[in-house]
């Protein structure tokens, strides 16, 4: 179901945060026209990430995932003709989406006032590092700095005396922030539908990181401590919220919040019914008081059998658990397959890459994902549809305003 079919988004952005919001809108059916510099395009087309250079396996993976389903128009917005083309495209757009810093938008004359000058009811959406206001509103920011380091995430995961960890993977903060920005844009479109008024939408990496860290941030206020820290796995008040190593070196994660309800069934399932009647573990309070002993026993039990054994055993009881999977394993996870949470995108010529659709589905299934465009692949098509003549297009090409 294409819930945003008929909506046109004009995107001027780079890297991953704001482009990923555009990708979600495209997944939901919007016509997303991405304006890129005609010579080099979005910087993410050429970035090596984690030692993986552009073109590995035939794809530049971060570019593909954040720009699938869009149309690419190569325009040099710094020229008078290029700016004129962008304003013409903005006239028929429902959303103007950008990651450009305030100074750049002012220099290019594509500020909110500039765009509203040609389309008063447009939704003007900006994704930034640190937010719309404040002393650093004009500064850039990446997810590692604004989202990961600044919000307390890295610090919360730093072991005493250790070095702060890096992001779990590329674009970790970018993509979660992109979801929030896409949702904000959708709400703004609903507001415009009801009132006729376009509004500005402001998202930031810092804001999304704060939202995700909110429980820990609030916890520091109520406790007076500088950090929220999980208890050591041997000090936990609930041994059934813990991870356990199997005989073949894999891990099972348990999250049994109502442990008293499931304790006896769990003990029987793992082949140790006697633990259910052990007075040290008879109820929540007893297990909390004897947590280290309980965790030690469960460590010993899980270490006797392989992961496959425990998968079969735990599947037969009602407590919540999961295998601590590697990224590659999620690609064949039965729930991932059944729900279309990973989709092969056909690029033609025998080339395909698997991408994750937007994490919200409408109707009975996921959207059909389309490839990310080559640089300037749709320039002629878009400009012709917007009323330009071939002669004008050729002139602009000769002057390197478009590609």
């Amino acid at each position: 179901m294409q819930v945003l079919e008929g909506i046109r988004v004009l995107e001027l952005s780079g890297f991953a945060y704001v482009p990923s919001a555009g990708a979600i809108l495209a997944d939901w059916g919007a016509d997303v026209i991405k304006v890129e510099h005609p010579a080099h395009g979005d910087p993410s087309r050429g970035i090596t990430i984690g030692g993986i250079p552009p073109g590995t396996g035939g794809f530049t993976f971060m570019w593909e995932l954040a720009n699938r389903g869009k149309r690419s128009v190569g325009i040099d917005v710094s020229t008078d003709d290029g700016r004129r083309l962008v304003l013409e495209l903005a006239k028929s757009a429902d959303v103007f989406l950008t990651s450009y810093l305030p100074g750049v938008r002012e220099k290019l004359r594509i500020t909110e006032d500039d765009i509203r000058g040609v389309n008063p009811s447009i939704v003007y959406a900006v994704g930034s590092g640190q937010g719309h206001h404040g002393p650093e509103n004009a500064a850039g920011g990446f997810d590692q700095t604004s989202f990961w380091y600044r919000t307390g995430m890295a610090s919360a995961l730093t072991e005493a005396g250790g070095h702060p960890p890096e992001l779990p993977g590329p674009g970790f903060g970018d993509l979660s922030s992109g979801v929030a920005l896409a949702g904000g844009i959708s709400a703004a479109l609903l507001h415009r539908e009801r009132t006729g008024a376009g509004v500005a939408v402001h998202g930031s990496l810092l804001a999304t990181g704060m939202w995700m860290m909110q429980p820990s941030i609030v916890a520091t206020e109520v406790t007076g401590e500088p950090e929220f820290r999980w208890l050591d796995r041997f000090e936990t008040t609930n041994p059934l919220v813990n991870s356990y190593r199997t005989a073949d070196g894999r891990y099972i994660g348990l999250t049994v919040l109502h442990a008293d309800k499931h304790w006896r069934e769990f003990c029987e399932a793992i082949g140790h019914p006697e633990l259910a009647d052990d007075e040290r573990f008879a109820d929540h309070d007893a297990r909390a008081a004897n947590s280290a002993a309980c965790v030690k026993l469960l460590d010993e039990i899980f270490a006797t059998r392989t992961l496959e054994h425990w998968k079969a055993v735990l599947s037969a009881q009602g407590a919540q658990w999961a295998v601590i999977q590697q990224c590659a394993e999620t690609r064949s996870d039965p729930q991932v397959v059944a729900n279309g949470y990973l989709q092969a995108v056909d690029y033609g010529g025998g080339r395909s890459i698997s991408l994750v659709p937007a994490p919200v589905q409408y109707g009975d299934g996921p959207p059909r994902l389309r490839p990310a465009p080559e640089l300037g692949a749709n320039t002629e098509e878009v400009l012709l549809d917007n009323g330009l003549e071939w002669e004008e297009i050729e002139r602009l090409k000769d002057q390197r305003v478009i590609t």
Side-chain angles (χ1 to χ4, degrees):
M1 182 180 293
Q2 302 285 282
V3 293
L4 293 183
E5 185 174 2
I7 295 297
R8 174 167 287 185
V9 179
L10 185 61
E11 178 190 318
L12 280 76
S13 70
F15 296 102
Y17 165 27
V18 174
S20 72
I24 290 174
L25 299 176
D27 284 3
W28 292 340
D31 175 20
V32 181
I33 299 173
K34 185 179 181 79
V35 175
E36 303 182 73
H37 190 278
H40 51 71
D42 185 323
S44 67
R45 288 182 179 273
I47 292 180
T48 295
I49 299 177
I52 304 175
T56 298
F59 295 96
T60 301
F61 73 100
M62 284 300 291
W63 160 258
E64 312 297 341
L65 66 88
N67 293 282
R68 77 285 188 95
K70 301 177 185 179
R71 296 195 285 170
S72 172
V73 177
I75 300 177
D76 186 350
V77 187
S78 68
T79 65
D80 289 339
D81 281 332
R83 176 179 178 273
R84 174 177 57 82
L85 292 176
V86 167
L87 293 180
E88 284 295 323
L89 291 173
K91 288 180 181 178
S92 59
D94 300 284
V95 178
F96 186 88
L97 175 61
T98 186
S99 63
Y100 288 7
L101 297 175
V104 176
R105 282 181 274 138
E106 290 173 6
K107 181 179 178 180
L108 297 176
R109 292 176 293 161
I110 54 170
T111 65
E112 182 179 354
D113 288 341
D114 293 320
I115 299 301
R116 289 205 189 283
V118 298
N119 187 344
S121 63
I122 199 168
V123 171
Y124 190 91
V126 181
S128 64
Q130 285 75 237
H132 184 50
H133 302 289
E136 297 177 52
N137 72 320
F142 291 103
D143 63 342
Q144 186 155 319
T145 54
S146 303
F147 175 91
W148 183 249
Y149 292 154
R150 193 159 186 168
T151 63
M153 288 189 196
S155 179
L157 294 171
T158 302
E159 296 182 4
H163 199 78
E166 302 304 326
L167 290 159
F172 184 72
D174 291 324
L175 270 61
S176 53
S177 299
V179 171
L181 185 57
I185 290 168
S186 300
L189 287 169
L190 176 61
H191 175 81
R192 191 189 67 165
E193 181 71 20
R194 290 180 170 177
T195 68
V199 296
V201 179
H202 294 284
S204 75
L205 294 165
L206 178 60
T208 310
M210 292 286 291
W211 175 257
M212 295 179 68
M213 287 297 289
Q214 184 174 187
S216 295
I217 292 168
V218 175
T220 65
E221 180 176 351
V222 299
T223 64
E225 297 293 329
E227 295 275 15
F228 170 82
R229 296 287 189 188
W230 292 107
L231 295 173
D232 179 270
R233 63 185 302 269
F234 290 101
E235 298 174 349
T236 177
T237 59
N238 182 357
L240 293 192
V241 179
N242 220 327
S243 59
Y244 295 93
R245 183 173 174 139
T246 65
D248 50 348
R250 298 301 304 275
Y251 286 88
I252 293 285
L254 306 177
T255 306
V256 189
L257 299 185
H258 300 290
D260 281 347
K261 175 181 177 181
H262 295 284
W263 178 243
R264 181 171 295 278
E265 179 190 26
F266 173 80
C267 293
E268 292 172 354
I270 65 173
H272 288 270
E274 73 281 1
L275 294 180
D277 296 315
D278 189 319
E279 63 181 13
R280 297 174 298 167
F281 315 130
D283 58 24
H284 176 274
D285 290 342
R287 288 189 296 275
N290 297 281
S291 178
C294 189
V295 171
K296 185 174 183 297
L297 277 172
L298 293 178
D299 274 341
E300 293 170 355
I301 291 168
F302 275 98
T304 63
R305 299 296 186 94
T306 66
L307 176 64
E308 289 303 313
H309 170 83
W310 292 121
K311 285 168 67 175
V313 165
L314 295 174
S315 293
Q317 53 86 56
Q320 295 298 305
W321 65 279
V323 176
I324 298 177
Q325 297 189 138
Q326 297 174 329
C327 280
E329 291 177 301
T330 66
R331 290 157 50 188
S332 57
D333 186 304
Q335 285 303 115
V336 170
V337 174
N339 287 282
Y341 291 160
L342 191 66
Q343 189 176 131
V345 183
D346 185 6
Y347 276 67
R351 298 173 63 238
S352 70
I353 187 171
S354 297
L355 301 175
V356 178
V360 174
Q361 296 182 3
Y362 298 96
D364 293 331
R368 182 181 64 83
L369 302 187
R370 294 166 290 139
E374 295 295 327
L375 175 58
N378 310 102
T379 302
E380 294 176 357
E381 167 194 348
V382 170
L383 295 183
L384 286 170
D385 288 347
N386 210 56
L388 260 68
E389 300 292 339
W390 272 114
E391 292 78 6
E392 178 68 359
I393 290 175
E394 291 298 332
R395 181 186 72 81
L396 294 170
K397 281 187 175 181
D398 290 341
Q399 295 181 356
R400 299 184 180 180
V401 174
I402 64 173
T403 188

